[in-house]
Amino acid sequence: MAVTASFDPKSVLKLDGYLEPFIPAIAHRHERFQKWKDTIDQYEGGYEKFTRGFDKMGFNVKESGEIVYREWAPNATEANLIGDFNQWNRMSHPLKKNEFGVWEITLPPKAPGVCAIPHDSKVKISMITPSGARIERIPAWIQRVTQDLAFSPAYEGRFWNPSTSEKYQFKNPRPPQPRAIRIYEAHVGISTSEHRVGTYKEFTKDTLPRIHALGYNTIQLMAIMEHPYYASFGYQVTSFFAASSRYGTPEELRELIDTAHGMGITVLLDVVHSHACKNVLDGLNAFDGSDHQYFHEGSKGRHELWDSRLFNYGNHEVLRFLLSNLRFYMEEYKFDGFRFDGVTSMMYVHHGIGTGFSGGYPDYFGPGADEEAIVYLMLANDAMHTLYPSVITIAEDVSGMPLLCIPVSQGGIGFDYRLSMAIPDMWIKLLKHKTDDEWDMSNIVHTLTDRRYGEKSVAYAESHDQALVGDKTLAFWLMDKEMYTHMSDLTPMTPIIARGLSLHKMIRLLVHSLGGEGYLNFEGNEFGHPEWLDFPREGNNNSFQHARRQWNIVDDQILRYRYLNDFDAAINHLEEEHKWLSASQAYVSLKHGGDKMIAYERSGLLFVFNFHPTKSFTDYRIGVDEAGEYHIILTSDEKKFGGFENVSCGGKFTTTPMEWNGRKNWLQIYIPSRTCVVLGK
């Protein structure tokens, strides 16, 4: 039996002394985690073997052409493999069940190296339940499913076994883990200007070069795990091991990731382990005829808002399934890590529904915490970081759970980053409810810097959430209908467009440089994409009008969208050069309510923002710690970024050795209304 390793409470208290009353709760969940880890070590050969469930379950093909198929379905009393290969005969290929509820069949080859089931042909498992009812399901570990909407919305399982010559061969090694992540959140299907679903091939050819040119070093791919309803944005998964067939084949997804790696870009998968689609015919729900196989039974196993099923994270086989799912995407597709969706829903028994998190610690460690799910996240992070030291994991959590991004060995949950979800909410509230002269600089700075000590966060001004129908992007809040009439250089620069371009640039630089240790942008938002995102559905006559990205408008050299795009690239390239995301948190020396000024130092650079709607300042005094000569190295006011060129790069500013705003020196600069500048030595 493995020896239980306990964490040292001192490491937790060093981070946050206020956690002292909750050390017993933190210790208890760590003990539960260790118990699972010991079980996996003792009975399953450790993480290495346990997380490779796909080598044992589902379809596995041997070199001889022999196929072994295994399926966990403890409630079934009889099981048969059916498909095109046996003319859907429900008697000819029976499976045998072992004491753990796993069914198995071996299909000998038709000839040496030739499988009995043809590649890409349809397959299912047919089962009898204790009541005598016959049920037919798509294998749970299936790696390819396809949908023919003309025939039925239900997916069909396919035996994916391409020949050696058809299999994609990876050419590029994984890039080293980025020093700090600059994430481009992308959806393959909407990455075309045309009124249809985009493909892996097109994304590889057309979108990857854009992302690379913009200076993003990480891509977060959404809606990859197969989902029956396109408009669900990939968040209602039916087949967890099947990459979506909407965009092409598994081999084409491999090529996409390999090509990104060749550009030095890290690729993350948006993984959905927080819940599962409730579909029965093509999902995991009632897979073996019971309500409680993969999920909790009754109301505990149902999410009332998402209308979906909730996993039983305390079940040994469910853990095998989910942990192997992560390993599968790392091994088979060479993803570099994961953004875990719906982490707040997982970590609390109330799933965050109707709960406002005040930051009070009893919220996190009291009866509201779902210890089983938290322990699963600890296992997932610990397993992936053990097997792949360079893996990146990000938590989508709105609650502010302490220790979320602290290693499991130190009593944490083990993520590398959390998403700073309060930041985009703040910008939307400001743009929706406040006039420009009502903006509170102190509150803006507080929201951007309010993060837990020692835990890394990914800041963003807007993500896909703000782009969806029913909400508006920052560009739309700022410029609204004038985006359709006054975004051409051939039209006058109206006050609305001038304000919109200026604030869009200022907000993004402020968030990028002050808000976190990583940065995220959703595709199209970098250039102020003019329209919302709405997938084809009944309510819009199944239109693709808004389920695409209009690259044509940023490529048009007459339109002003290109200014925002170019400024976004300039920020990323400047960060790569000066590394502020991996530097310690900024020192904010100025947040002046009346002047609407913010100034701070980070990574040896001085950032100055004038949010005042009308006032420009000459000889504005700014405190700075390090003496010397400073130069403007980036400004939002350059002509090439749609500015007025009142401030240009290269201007020199020498410090005076006198304390100002708590800094040892000061310098004076000209800072026009709605302009930001970055000064470096």
Side-chain angles (χ1 to χ4, degrees):
M1 179 75 179
V3 180
T4 300
S6 60
F7 76 98
D8 180 4
K10 285 182 196 151
S11 63
V12 169
L13 297 177
K14 213 181 271 182
L15 285 166
D16 186 349
Y18 289 109
L19 285 170
E20 188 160 17
F22 306 100
I23 290 293
I26 296 165
H28 186 258
R29 75 183 188 195
H30 194 271
E31 280 163 24
R32 285 187 70 173
F33 153 78
Q34 193 63 48
K35 204 175 263 185
W36 267 119
K37 191 173 179 184
D38 291 346
T39 300
I40 290 167
D41 284 343
Q42 188 179 356
Y43 299 108
E44 297 282 359
Y47 287 147
E48 169 57 39
K49 286 192 176 162
F50 189 59
T51 61
R52 293 193 69 99
F54 47 87
D55 285 344
K56 188 177 174 185
M57 306 298 289
F59 292 96
N60 278 283
V61 180
K62 300 192 175 170
E63 264 183 49
S64 64
E66 180 180 276
I67 301 168
V68 180
Y69 169 58
R70 294 187 186 95
E71 195 73 70
W72 177 57
N75 187 54
T77 58
E78 192 183 304
N80 283 269
L81 182 61
I82 59 173
D84 291 338
F85 76 99
N86 67 359
Q87 289 78 52
W88 302 91
N89 186 324
R90 292 191 175 108
M91 308 299 286
S92 62
H93 288 77
L95 284 75
K96 280 186 180 163
K97 185 182 186 181
N98 70 11
E99 71 270 33
F100 302 111
V102 175
W103 295 86
E104 181 176 332
I105 185 173
T106 300
L107 286 78
K110 278 167 67 173
V114 180
C115 291
I117 307 176
H119 165 57
D120 209 21
S121 64
K122 294 174 192 172
V123 286
K124 264 188 178 179
I125 181 169
S126 181
M127 294 173 280
I128 304 289
T129 67
S131 69
R134 181 175 291 279
I135 56 173
E136 288 173 355
R137 303 284 186 259
I138 293 176
W141 297 69
I142 197 93
Q143 294 176 20
R144 174 77 167 164
V145 293
T146 56
Q147 185 186 45
D148 183 354
L149 285 171
F151 170 66
S152 162
Y155 272 95
E156 296 178 305
R158 290 183 177 270
F159 175 70
W160 190 256
N161 182 38
S163 65
T164 309
S165 62
E166 291 173 307
K167 270 184 191 160
Y168 184 78
Q169 302 299 319
F170 287 91
K171 301 170 187 70
N172 300 301
R174 279 196 172 97
Q177 188 187 69
R179 163 190 50 79
I181 49 177
R182 299 185 299 270
I183 304 172
Y184 197 85
E185 185 186 31
H187 183 292
V188 171
I190 66 161
S191 300
T192 172
S193 298
E194 294 177 32
H195 290 68
R196 57 175 175 80
V197 178
T199 68
Y200 295 128
K201 278 272 188 201
E202 290 166 333
F203 192 94
T204 303
K205 184 171 75 70
D206 303 327
T207 312
L208 283 181
R210 289 181 186 275
I211 297 167
H212 187 245
L214 282 165
Y216 289 93
N217 60 19
T218 306
I219 299 169
Q220 183 178 298
L221 283 182
M222 313 174 68
I224 293 297
M225 299 165 81
E226 194 58 275
H227 48 291
Y229 185 44
Y230 192 42
S232 77
F233 225 143
Y235 293 124
Q236 292 275 353
V237 176
T238 41
S239 292
F240 283 75
F241 288 83
S244 182
S245 59
R246 280 184 183 86
Y247 324 122
T249 68
E251 310 316 309
E252 287 162 353
L253 174 58
R254 289 182 172 98
E255 181 186 27
L256 186 164
I257 294 165
D258 191 34
T259 307
H261 286 167
M263 295 174 170
I265 297 172
T266 292
V267 188
L268 307 180
L269 175 70
D270 196 349
V271 75
V272 188
H273 282 181
S274 46
H275 65 133
C277 180
K278 70 173 188 179
N279 283 14
V280 171
L281 290 179
D282 53 5
L284 292 179
N285 192 12
F287 184 85
D288 65 358
S290 70
D291 188 44
H292 57 268
Q293 185 188 356
Y294 285 95
F295 312 110
H296 287 292
E297 59 187 328
S299 60
K300 192 180 178 185
R302 286 169 170 77
H303 196 296
E304 52 188 84
L305 277 190
W306 295 345
D307 194 24
S308 54
R309 296 303 312 263
L310 297 169
F311 286 106
N312 177 1
Y313 302 107
N315 181 291
H316 193 97
E317 289 304 320
V318 172
L319 287 183
R320 187 196 309 278
F321 183 83
L322 294 175
L323 293 174
S324 297
N325 192 228
L326 299 174
R327 183 83 188 271
F328 176 78
Y329 283 105
M330 295 291 290
E331 283 289 316
E332 295 297 315
Y333 287 102
K334 308 292 184 202
F335 277 97
D336 303 294
F338 306 95
R339 178 262 199 189
F340 280 74
D341 176 68
V343 166
T344 306
S345 173
M346 294 172 77
M347 293 194 300
Y348 304 96
V349 290
H350 49 67
H351 310 303
I353 300 170
T355 305
F357 290 93
S358 62
Y361 283 20
D363 290 353
Y364 306 122
F365 301 105
D370 187 333
E371 211 174 58
E372 251 178 21
I374 291 169
V375 167
Y376 164 66
L377 292 170
M378 292 166 76
L379 286 165
N381 279 306
D382 190 54
M384 290 305 108
H385 284 90
T386 300
L387 296 164
Y388 306 95
S390 66
V391 74
I392 296 166
T393 60
I394 304 170
E396 188 213 22
D397 170 48
V398 75
S399 76
M401 167 71 82
L403 308 177
L404 186 68
C405 301
I406 297 297
V408 174
S409 59
Q410 293 170 35
I413 297 175
F415 285 98
D416 296 298
Y417 296 88
R418 61 155 34 98
L419 289 173
S420 292
M421 299 176 77
I423 296 174
D425 291 348
M426 174 195 71
W427 292 117
I428 297 300
K429 280 176 193 157
L430 279 178
L431 294 169
K432 200 174 180 178
H433 301 296
K434 304 264 187 197
T435 58
D436 293 6
D437 56 1
E438 292 175 318
W439 286 22
D440 182 335
M441 298 296 111
S442 292
N443 182 56
I444 290 171
V445 168
H446 173 75
T447 305
L448 285 164
T449 55
D450 182 25
R451 48 193 190 268
R452 297 194 60 81
Y453 174 72
E455 300 191 43
K456 292 195 285 191
S457 63
V458 175
Y460 57 104
E462 50 185 345
S463 70
H464 69 268
D465 289 327
Q466 286 71 41
L468 286 168
V469 65
D471 209 334
K472 289 184 188 176
T473 60
L474 291 183
F476 230 127
W477 280 114
L478 288 163
M479 297 178 280
D480 211 71
K481 61 181 184 293
E482 286 208 12
M483 295 181 83
Y484 297 112
T485 55
H486 288 82
M487 281 298 268
S488 164
D489 276 330
L490 305 178
T491 60
M493 176 79 83
T494 66
I496 284 174
I497 294 296
R499 170 182 177 264
L501 294 179
S502 300
L503 290 179
H504 195 274
K505 289 178 285 184
M506 292 177 74
I507 287 168
R508 294 172 87 79
L509 177 61
L510 184 70
V511 172
H512 203 305
S513 55
L514 186 61
E517 292 73 35
Y519 178 76
L520 177 141
N521 162 64
F522 175 67
E523 74 174 311
N525 288 358
E526 70 276 6
F527 63 84
H529 198 283
E531 292 187 331
W532 57 95
L533 191 56
D534 187 16
F535 285 84
R537 56 188 171 85
E538 220 173 90
N540 63 16
N541 295 321
N542 291 309
S543 165
F544 278 91
Q545 176 60 33
H546 299 294
R548 60 197 182 99
R549 299 283 88 178
Q550 298 179 52
W551 304 113
N552 49 301
I553 63 173
V554 72
D555 294 342
D556 190 331
Q557 291 306 296
I558 289 174
L559 298 182
R560 293 176 170 134
Y561 294 101
R562 74 187 192 280
Y563 298 139
L564 300 179
N565 192 74
D566 293 349
F567 190 69
D568 196 69
I571 296 173
N572 282 323
H573 290 299
L574 195 65
E575 195 287 323
E576 180 61 34
E577 188 183 339
H578 292 276
K579 305 176 172 41
W580 62 69
L581 286 171
S582 52
S584 52
Q585 198 162 323
Y587 183 91
V588 182
S589 60
L590 179 69
K591 38 192 176 180
H592 196 293
D595 292 346
K596 305 292 177 205
M597 291 285 293
I598 295 172
Y600 52 89
E601 294 145 82
R602 192 175 186 188
S603 196
L605 301 178
L606 175 61
F607 296 82
V608 185
F609 295 77
N610 177 6
F611 278 99
H612 204 288
T614 55
K615 271 191 197 171
S616 297
F617 300 100
T618 53
D619 298 332
Y620 199 93
R621 191 172 286 189
I622 304 286
V624 62
D625 221 39
E626 214 174 290
E629 193 174 79
Y630 285 78
H631 307 261
I632 293 176
I633 55 175
L634 180 68
T635 167
S636 60
D637 198 42
E638 281 194 76
K639 206 140 193 105
K640 65 181 180 182
F641 303 135
F644 297 100
E645 212 131 75
N646 292 318
V647 179
S648 52
C649 282
K652 290 180 191 174
F653 305 89
T654 307
T655 58
T656 299
M658 185 175 134
E659 194 178 316
W660 189 258
N661 285 344
R663 309 311 271 158
K664 293 175 191 161
N665 306 279
W666 55 259
L667 47 76
Q668 287 180 318
I669 63 167
Y670 169 50
I671 183 84
S673 161
R674 292 196 184 120
T675 298
C676 53
V677 296
V678 183
L679 297 100
K681 292 180 80 177

